Amino acid sequence: MGDFITSFLSGPVPIEAYLAVSTIMFFAGVYGFLSRKNMLMVLVSVELMLNAADLNFVVFNRYLYPGQLEGFFFTLFAIGIAAAETAIAIAIIINIYRHVKSIYIDENITKMKN
């Protein structure tokens, strides 16, 4: 039994496994984006969706063009842009909190209408 497990784990991982993980990550992000009321949790959900897309870039680069690194470089730029986007979003959330004293979406929408 131990030989079967080591031979199974040492083989190449099929592309479907990576795509399944990426799909689960993306839809967990969509669910979190639609269901959360806290702005920070919405931001985390958006980041989860971006990471799922980055995983797809790397996987398709690895399987379609194994000797080239365009997918990896594109993913590095996407991670850098996501970091900048997170910094700006957190700054916006802090300013909203200073103005409204809450980071919950429902409360902020009604208070910011006035």
Side-chain angles (χ1 to χ4, degrees), residues 24-79:
I24 291 169
M25 283 174 55
F26 185 80
F27 284 114
V30 169
Y31 174 75
F33 182 80
L34 295 175
S35 66
R36 301 293 178 183
K37 303 297 182 202
N38 187 337
M39 280 190 248
L40 290 175
M41 294 307 295
V42 169
L43 179 62
V44 168
S45 299
V46 169
E47 292 299 319
L48 190 61
M49 290 188 282
L50 288 172
N51 286 332
D54 291 341
L55 181 61
N56 279 336
F57 288 134
V58 171
V59 167
F60 281 115
N61 180 69
R62 175 78 172 124
Y63 280 95
L64 295 177
Y65 306 105
Q68 300 171 348
L69 297 175
E70 286 88 2
F72 293 106
F73 290 132
F74 191 77
T75 299
L76 286 176
F77 284 118
I79 290 171

Side-chain angles (χ1 to χ4, degrees), residues 39 91-103 108:
M39 280 190 248
I92 291 170
I93 290 170
I94 289 171
N95 283 331
I96 290 173
Y97 178 77
R98 286 180 181 167
H99 179 68
V100 182
K101 301 292 185 219
S102 175
I103 59 170
N108 289 337

